[in-house]
Amino acid sequence: MMRKLARQHPSLAIGLLAAGIFALLGLVSLWWTPYPIDQIAISRRFLGPGWAHWLGTDHLGRDMLSLVMSGMLTSFVVASLGVLIGVGIGVPLGLAAVAWGGAVEWLVLRFSDLTFAFPAVIVAILIATLAGPGATNATIAIGIFNIPVFARVARGGALAIATQDYVAAARLAGLGRATIAARHLLPNIMSLLIVQGTIQLSLGILAEAGLSYIGLGTQPPATSLGLMLRDAQSLFLIHPSLSLIPGLTIVLVVIALNIAGDGLRDAMDPRLRHQGLSHGAG
Amino acid sequence: MGVSPMTLFLLRRIAGFAVTLFVAALIIFLLLDLLPGDPARFILGINATPEAVAALRAQMGLDAPAHERFLNWIGGMLRGDFGISSTQRLAVSELIAERMAVTLPLTMIAMVVSVVVGLPIGILAAMRRGKATDTALMVLAQTGVAVPNFWFGMLLTLVFAVTLRWLPTGGFIPWDEDAGAALRGLVLPGLALALPQASILARVMRTALVDVAEQDFIRTARAKGMTKSEAIWRHGVRNALLPVLTILGLQFAYLIAGTIIVENVFYLPGLGRLIFTAISERDLVLVRGATIVLVVATTATMLLVDLCYGLVDPRLRRQGA
Amino acid sequence: MALVDIRDLTITFGQHEAVSGLSLRIERGERFGIIGESGSGKSLTALAIAGLLPESAAVSGQVLFEGTVLPDDERDMTRLRGRHIGMVFQEPMTALNPLMTIGEQIEEAIRLSETSEIVPLAVSALLDEVGLAPGLAARYPHQLSGGQRQRAMIAMALASKPELMIADEPTSALDVITQRTVLDLISTICRRRHMTLIFISHDIRAVAALCTRIGVMRAGELVEQGVTGDVLRAPVADYTRELVAASRMERRLRSSASLNDDRAALLRVEGVGRIYRQSGIWPGCGAPVRAVDQVELTIGTGECVALVGPSGCGKTTLARIIVGLDKASDGRMVFDGTAYDGSNLPPLLRANMSLVFQDPFSSFDPRMTIAQSLGEPLHLLGRISGEEREARLREAIEAVGLKAAMLARYPHEFSGGQRQRLAIARALVTRPRLVVLDEPVSALDVSVRGDILALLARLQAEHGLTYLIISHDLDMVAAMADRVLVMEKGRIVEEGTPETLFAHPEHPLTKALMAARLPEVA
């Protein structure tokens, strides 16, 4: 199965494999990291990469590889939950807009306009003012940002499906609007949503990094890739590797996800290219 | 009705803009106003007498009912009065204006760079579709999309400020002191912001142009006697710019937000720094004013994009839809 | 020397051979028609002559234009195309650049071919030649009607004063009446300019009316060619014989018993109208559109009534209101004694009528099996047992001449004709009394149209069905219907049996429809 995938859609296979490995590394950190991430040893700080510490140590003598693994987990979890929030609220909204039309559609569109007016950073600022910074708040901010994205993609895809005769046939068969949305619209926009989900996942990882970097996201003693960069901020001119390692990790994870997303789009359905995926600019 | 469709189109868009802004202002107001804790007490500290707190509340207008305070706030903003910062005792509008002198030029620089770099790359890649140039450019863009702008800022500092010493590592000299130095201070942050956006633009431009190139009217143009690249250049690019326009609007909005992050790398006194200080000092008037300014900027950009669509696409002019 | 000489042309896409070993000579001044169904390779052949094949195509063999092989160099080929070949495509909406006025687009064609020094004068001359007012030059494509757009396309193709015009299905996206005028226009221009024409179509009658010689293509091969009259009168290839037979529609024989006049009315439409307002909340967004206007009609049990009219006349809207997909703004319908307005159909009444859609390809959810799709309307009958359900599905699919084993398959495994059979099966599964057929054969290849119509006739006789057929195809209507209603701008303007109506049309629209009818072949 994997071999067939690799032959037909090499970029998808590579992207999925790489993203999978990164996610697995993050997951493993739940049970095992080379060193405990909260083990501070000033005497061992600023070590270069070597046998004992493959990626060296940071300004507190913590093992960089352990930090990267654990930070990757935070990034994936925050970004995935953000996507789930976006899908969970946005997709039903988009489908409802198409299934009911009229006032419902108008409301959904205005709501999504309104949400677009609040970029993730502004939502994070508002939440931080209200409830203080933290990974949960970053997740909510990213999730809110994802809602209109999924609402629009779901609506766009479902609009194209709704003009198909089989939807009219289902109405003739006496099926209700909600049933039609669940039975005909949703399954037929699934591939669109999966592709958009991958794009939003990679954007979410970037957003989490940004929010943690300015102090609105993950807080110590937990760690995330963005937080590592925040810690490295004042030291990177002297010890560039402290910022190079987490930065490169982010780049690699995001590239892997984007390659997987592009591959998915091409593999699942060539028609997708014409249905206007939203390339987020956040 | 005697109203031209174009006017109608404009009126509708502007009305939609006003409604969105009003609701956004309401949300910001409610969120920050319903916040537990009394700003007056926070400013004065826990040892203040109840009389002093009450006096400050009256002075800050906090004792009026909520709807009145909301309307006062909106009315004040329409006159350019955003209130007085509770910690700095200065007009919020002035504080924001002062920071905007950094944030806005920075956004503009990033925008211009990303368009000037991104669009030609996208067009070139689409024209050379499937060839080595295309692959190379798209690998580049794929990487560019994945680079966090603030991290790229760190790398730029390392190379151009620390190693080559061409540009300052950070800080900002105000425009009226030395405009040249001010501009130099914005070059690296501008580039840092522009790279991911340019990459996104390049990818969107390429996709749009490749899609357009498969359409019938390109075949018609070739049938008239154009080579494929002439046809794409003359007929494709303008049509492909329509989807790109939407992205461009989103980008401007997110660039403004992006400056909040990137100015941290370069120690720039922009809107972001103002907001963070305000949050940590619970200066709600200031947070409220700054966020609404960002929301206005975002929404206004979207409006502008819609209006541009009206200008570029004759189909919209007619239907006004 | 032939103007176009194709020698052993083979076009392949990966493994698939789309055109195989085609040889063809087209003499100067000839009007050559290529007939074939979708996928026969006829359009690819035309694109090969103009050097416009997609890059993914692998080509072998030779195409000679005026005795020389088509140049390999893109720029030379482009020049040849721009100066000597004019092309008209099927869908004028997408073939024109939406962001440029048609004047600008014609002007561009003139400049590229360098045929005229005084460009504006040439533009108005061309517009005049294709019968468009000079003022239309400033319009954008979306501001023109389909016919006007196709005329603009033709003007553009003529700009270079080409020796050869290639028209690829130039009328199949157009209305019946417009179709005829555009065909006549092409014919006139070819005669006046002594221009060679390659005309590609699936419509054997259009080709017969326009062309001096024809070639018949099937599955990438040229199965027959010759002088139009000879080929159509005495076809040699079996396939040509089938096509000619399919283009003639025999009036089906109805027993007189089913045609007595005192049948009970099954459906009465009483003063039904439908108004569309353009997006409600803002005032002055354009006048409301009256799609259907005060329509009165009655359909008797067992009758076959046809509703004909040009596109946009409201016939489909009316059909959608009758079956309950849309709501009447005023008036009401009475079906078998129960009054409704389109939105308030009780399930059992719904089960008594059904609709067969025009496009068999969008009629089935690609992610559901045929059994799931066919079983959907059974929902209207309330709870039924699994066995009953299965029996109903088997009965329906066998009634349309397919096998029960096919129920487990997915839509993409079926051809267009089979899918339309399945769509009919779905319409029958609740055992309805009234079946509304919206252009039931117009999306199908000519050769299967006859089969579907025969199936419909058989089903009507066997199950005592009542049909309402929506169509623009007068020949199909003449063959099927007991009574014809002609619709224009939302109103029914004329009514009668096909014989009387077509022999003595009264209303200008009916006359125009009759005049637009292409003569039967041979």
Side-chain angles (χ1 to χ4, degrees):
Chain A
M1 161 97 187
M2 204 59 202
R3 202 170 295 160
K4 192 179 161 203
L5 188 73
R7 200 157 5 93
Q8 285 178 341
H9 305 285
S11 69
L12 174 60
I14 294 170
L16 276 182
L17 193 70
I21 290 174
F22 284 124
L24 201 67
L25 269 180
L27 218 55
V28 165
S29 77
L30 275 179
W31 297 280
W32 178 83
T33 48
Y35 295 84
I37 59 158
D38 45 6
Q39 183 187 330
I40 293 171
I42 302 295
S43 61
R44 303 179 59 82
R45 65 184 187 159
F46 300 133
L47 289 183
W51 278 115
H53 300 279
W54 286 8
L55 297 177
T57 57
D58 75 347
H59 61 295
L60 299 172
R62 294 178 295 180
D63 178 52
M64 286 291 277
L65 178 60
S66 307
L67 287 173
V68 164
M69 282 170 70
S70 178
M72 200 136 57
L73 181 70
T74 318
S75 297
F76 266 105
V77 168
V78 169
S80 315
L81 288 178
V83 169
L84 280 185
I85 294 174
V87 170
I89 301 175
V91 172
L93 283 179
L95 288 178
V98 174
W100 276 271
V104 177
E105 182 164 35
W106 188 85
L107 273 177
V108 169
L109 285 177
R110 293 294 79 77
F111 170 76
S112 98
D113 276 356
L114 185 66
T115 325
F116 264 126
F118 289 88
V121 177
I122 299 179
V123 178
I125 287 171
L126 285 172
I127 295 178
T129 320
L130 282 172
T136 321
N137 298 336
T139 310
I140 295 172
I142 294 170
I144 290 178
F145 168 77
N146 280 338
I147 292 172
V149 173
F150 281 101
R152 292 206 164 189
V153 168
R155 175 174 169 268
L159 272 181
I161 303 294
T163 60
Q164 300 286 307
D165 287 340
Y166 59 80
V167 174
R171 286 181 57 203
L172 283 180
L175 300 187
R177 294 172 194 270
T179 319
I180 289 177
R183 197 176 147 95
H184 292 290
L185 300 185
L186 184 60
N188 282 296
I189 59 166
M190 219 42 174
S191 35
L192 202 62
L193 293 178
I194 291 175
V195 173
Q196 189 68 47
T198 328
I199 297 174
Q200 294 311 115
L201 194 62
S202 74
L203 285 177
I205 285 178
L206 285 173
E208 192 281 333
L211 292 177
S212 295
Y213 172 72
I214 53 173
L216 294 178
T218 313
Q219 301 295 312
T223 188
S224 85
L225 297 172
L227 195 59
M228 290 176 75
L229 287 170
R230 180 180 173 81
D231 289 341
Q233 161 83 349
S234 51
L235 299 160
F236 80 93
L237 297 181
I238 318 158
H239 299 285
S241 76
L242 290 192
S243 68
L244 281 180
I245 289 165
L248 274 177
T249 312
I250 295 174
V251 173
L252 291 178
V253 172
V254 173
I255 288 181
L257 283 172
N258 283 343
I259 289 178
D262 288 357
L264 270 178
R265 186 190 53 206
D266 296 344
M268 284 185 129
D269 202 342
R271 279 176 309 161
L272 283 190
R273 267 175 252 163
H274 302 286
Q275 289 186 5
L277 281 169
S278 156
H279 295 261
Chain B
M1 283 275 178
V3 188
S4 85
M6 187 61 188
T7 322
L8 210 67
F9 171 78
L10 283 175
L11 284 177
R12 273 173 141 201
R13 284 292 186 260
I14 291 168
F17 170 69
V19 171
T20 307
L21 273 190
F22 181 82
V23 179
L26 188 63
I27 290 174
I28 293 175
F29 179 83
L30 285 179
L31 280 178
L32 295 180
D33 203 65
L34 297 177
L35 198 65
D38 185 343
R41 180 162 287 283
F42 187 85
I43 294 165
L44 296 173
I46 28 172
N47 296 326
T49 59
E51 291 76 30
V53 173
L56 185 60
R57 281 180 62 89
Q59 190 200 333
M60 290 169 73
L62 288 174
D63 47 359
H67 66 271
E68 220 165 275
R69 276 181 285 139
F70 176 64
L71 291 179
N72 282 341
W73 179 51
I74 297 275
M77 280 196 296
L78 289 178
R79 293 191 307 272
D81 173 14
F82 284 65
I84 305 290
S85 153
S86 50
T87 51
Q88 307 200 33
R89 317 306 281 158
L90 285 168
V92 168
S93 52
E94 273 172 41
L95 287 170
I96 292 176
E98 187 188 318
R99 301 308 178 97
M100 272 301 188
V102 178
T103 299
L104 217 53
L106 179 54
T107 313
M108 294 294 192
I109 291 174
M111 193 75 198
V112 170
V113 172
S114 71
V115 168
V116 168
V117 174
L119 292 191
I121 286 183
I123 294 173
L124 187 64
M127 295 271 206
R128 301 258 189 284
R129 188 187 176 190
K131 306 213 172 85
T133 324
D134 178 25
T135 316
L137 288 176
M138 282 305 112
V139 166
L140 214 63
Q142 183 73 269
T143 316
V145 171
V147 173
N149 48 24
F150 60 94
W151 182 66
F152 186 56
M154 293 178 172
L155 296 186
L156 285 177
T157 321
L158 207 58
V159 175
F160 293 100
V162 179
T163 313
L164 297 172
R165 296 182 180 281
W166 289 354
L167 292 157
T169 49
F172 183 73
I173 293 149
W175 294 98
D176 46 8
E177 275 177 37
D178 184 348
L183 196 62
R184 278 159 52 89
L186 294 182
V187 170
L188 289 184
L191 285 179
L193 275 170
L195 171 82
Q197 306 299 338
S199 309
I200 292 173
L201 269 188
R203 277 165 62 96
V204 173
M205 186 72 223
R206 178 183 176 276
T207 314
L209 202 50
V210 164
D211 276 355
V212 168
E214 281 164 11
Q215 291 192 2
D216 288 354
F217 61 82
I218 295 294
R219 192 176 57 183
T220 307
R222 293 179 64 199
K224 281 194 219 173
M226 288 189 192
T227 61
K228 193 160 190 190
S229 19
E230 282 166 354
I232 293 178
W233 184 249
R234 290 261 307 145
H235 292 267
V237 173
R238 244 181 94 192
N239 277 284
L241 277 176
L242 289 177
V244 172
L245 203 56
T246 309
I247 302 296
L248 225 52
L250 284 175
Q251 286 204 316
F252 189 79
Y254 291 114
L255 276 175
I256 295 184
T259 59
I260 295 178
I261 298 177
V262 165
E263 68 188 42
N264 258 27
V265 183
F266 297 93
Y267 305 101
L268 295 175
L271 206 52
R273 186 103 65 85
L274 184 71
I275 293 176
F276 288 119
T277 324
I279 293 177
S280 61
E281 293 174 349
R282 294 198 89 61
D283 189 343
L284 298 187
V285 185
L286 190 48
V287 174
R288 199 167 68 179
T291 38
I292 195 79
V293 164
L294 287 172
V295 168
V296 170
T298 314
T299 321
T301 316
M302 307 274 182
L303 175 72
L304 207 66
V305 167
D306 277 351
L307 299 185
C308 285
Y309 261 106
L311 287 179
V312 178
D313 194 337
R315 285 165 293 189
L316 283 178
R317 259 178 268 162
R318 177 104 184 284
Q319 299 159 356
Chain C
M1 180 180 60
L3 182 67
V4 177
D5 187 355
I6 304 174
R7 294 178 187 167
D8 199 26
L9 176 72
T10 299
I11 304 171
T12 38
F13 291 93
Q15 301 292 321
H16 173 67
E17 207 165 272
V19 173
S20 18
L22 183 124
S23 295
L24 187 64
R25 290 166 64 88
I26 296 164
E27 302 296 331
R28 206 175 274 276
E30 218 167 49
R31 293 191 300 280
F32 192 89
I34 302 180
I35 308 171
E37 298 184 339
S38 49
S40 62
K42 57 188 195 304
S43 292
L44 286 172
T45 309
L47 290 177
I49 298 170
L52 283 174
L53 283 173
E55 275 161 24
S56 52
V59 188
S60 71
Q62 280 185 323
V63 179
L64 284 74
F65 188 82
E66 291 189 304
T68 31
V69 181
L70 291 183
D72 276 334
D73 179 69
E74 196 198 351
R75 204 156 275 283
D76 294 343
M77 185 63 229
T78 299
R79 199 163 302 135
L80 173 81
R81 199 159 58 216
R83 305 237 170 112
H84 304 281
I85 303 176
M87 295 196 78
V88 180
F89 299 106
Q90 176 172 1
E91 182 41 85
M93 185 69 213
T94 56
L96 291 167
N97 185 343
L99 302 186
M100 282 168 81
T101 64
I102 59 160
E104 286 167 350
Q105 299 188 50
I106 296 171
E107 231 178 270
E108 188 181 62
I110 297 170
R111 286 185 206 283
L112 283 165
S113 60
E114 296 163 7
T115 44
S116 170
E117 298 292 308
I118 319 151
V119 177
L121 210 66
V123 171
S124 50
L126 281 169
L127 285 176
D128 185 55
E129 184 168 2
V130 297
L132 290 177
L136 294 180
R139 299 256 185 114
Y140 289 95
H142 73 272
Q143 296 170 314
L144 301 178
S145 71
Q148 287 172 323
R149 285 196 279 265
Q150 200 56 296
R151 284 169 192 266
M153 249 334 264
I154 295 172
M156 226 151 71
L158 293 176
S160 61
K161 305 198 170 81
E163 278 103 33
L164 172 68
M165 174 141 102
I166 301 176
D168 186 358
E169 301 266 14
T171 59
S172 48
L174 304 176
D175 211 275
V176 214
I177 298 174
T178 327
Q179 224 171 52
R180 181 63 190 265
T181 53
V182 169
L183 280 181
D184 290 346
L185 175 70
I186 293 176
S187 166
T188 321
I189 289 171
C190 286
R191 280 172 223 271
R192 190 192 308 136
R193 294 196 171 209
H194 304 292
M195 192 167 58
T196 314
L197 173 74
I198 297 179
F199 181 79
I200 299 184
S201 180
H202 66 277
D203 185 349
I204 200 165
R205 290 180 167 195
V207 174
L210 194 57
C211 299
T212 49
R213 285 203 327 137
I214 57 175
V216 181
M217 281 189 76
R218 181 189 204 183
E221 286 179 39
L222 191 67
V223 294
E224 184 162 3
Q225 61 167 314
V227 175
T228 308
D230 298 347
V231 172
L232 295 181
R233 221 170 299 123
V236 178
D238 289 343
Y239 180 64
T240 318
R241 216 168 295 147
E242 269 175 49
L243 279 183
V244 172
S247 80
R248 287 198 202 103
M249 288 202 192
E250 301 294 331
R251 170 109 182 95
R252 70 182 168 132
L253 298 167
R254 302 282 308 262
S255 60
S256 55
S258 66
L259 285 173
N260 51 359
D261 277 341
D262 46 68
R263 278 165 302 186
L266 181 65
L267 175 78
R268 279 207 314 279
V269 174
E270 298 174 348
V272 162
R274 180 72 176 95
I275 297 170
Y276 287 111
R277 279 177 234 292
Q278 292 166 339
S279 62
I281 59 164
W282 296 91
C285 290
V289 178
R290 238 175 216 289
V292 177
D293 193 4
Q294 292 295 315
V295 168
E296 300 272 347
L297 66 90
T298 308
I299 301 173
T301 307
E303 212 180 2
C304 178
V305 175
L307 193 57
V308 299
S311 52
C313 73
K315 56 188 195 299
T316 298
T317 308
L318 182 61
R320 289 171 63 87
I321 295 174
I322 289 175
V323 296
L325 282 175
D326 202 344
K327 185 174 183 284
S329 314
D330 37 47
R332 61 171 197 168
M333 278 90 52
V334 181
F335 182 83
D336 201 19
T338 316
Y340 67 101
D341 67 5
S343 64
N344 54 359
L345 271 169
L348 279 176
L349 199 61
R350 235 178 225 284
N352 265 317
M353 48 177 124
S354 58
L355 176 67
V356 175
F357 297 91
Q358 174 175 8
D359 180 6
F361 288 92
S362 88
S363 288
F364 290 92
D365 189 331
R367 285 170 197 268
M368 299 204 325
T369 63
I370 296 302
Q372 284 172 314
S373 286
L374 253 53
E376 222 169 35
L378 289 174
H379 172 83
L380 293 168
L381 304 177
R383 284 209 166 274
I384 55 171
S385 70
E387 288 155 36
E388 164 80 11
R389 186 187 161 85
E390 213 163 290
R392 288 275 195 136
L393 292 181
R394 187 171 317 122
E395 176 193 297
I397 200 169
E398 282 169 356
V400 297
L402 296 174
K403 293 188 185 64
M406 294 176 173
L407 283 169
R409 296 201 197 155
Y410 284 89
H412 69 263
E413 300 172 56
F414 295 93
S415 70
Q418 283 175 320
R419 287 196 207 197
Q420 200 61 322
R421 281 172 187 269
L422 291 169
I424 294 168
R426 175 170 57 193
L428 293 180
V429 80
T430 54
R431 296 182 189 144
R433 300 175 64 192
L434 173 69
V435 180
V436 180
L437 304 151
D438 186 3
E439 305 273 9
V441 295
S442 60
L444 303 177
D445 274 330
V446 187
S447 56
V448 296
R449 287 184 186 179
D451 299 345
I452 297 291
L453 291 178
L455 170 71
L456 287 171
R458 198 195 81 217
L459 290 170
Q460 184 176 28
E462 279 175 14
H463 300 277
L465 297 170
T466 306
Y467 284 158
L468 172 61
I469 301 181
I470 313 294
S471 181
H472 66 270
D473 181 349
L474 291 181
D475 297 288
M476 191 267 273
V477 164
M480 289 289 291
D482 303 320
R483 200 149 54 87
V484 180
L485 309 171
V486 182
M487 202 164 171
E488 183 185 37
K489 291 177 187 152
R491 287 172 167 275
I492 290 178
V493 293
E494 197 167 359
E495 180 180 347
T497 63
E499 293 82 4
T500 53
L501 201 65
F502 296 165
H504 310 286
E506 296 279 324
H507 190 271
L509 176 70
T510 323
K511 286 183 182 157
L513 285 171
M514 287 311 296
R517 236 175 127 188
L518 290 162
E520 297 232 353
V521 297

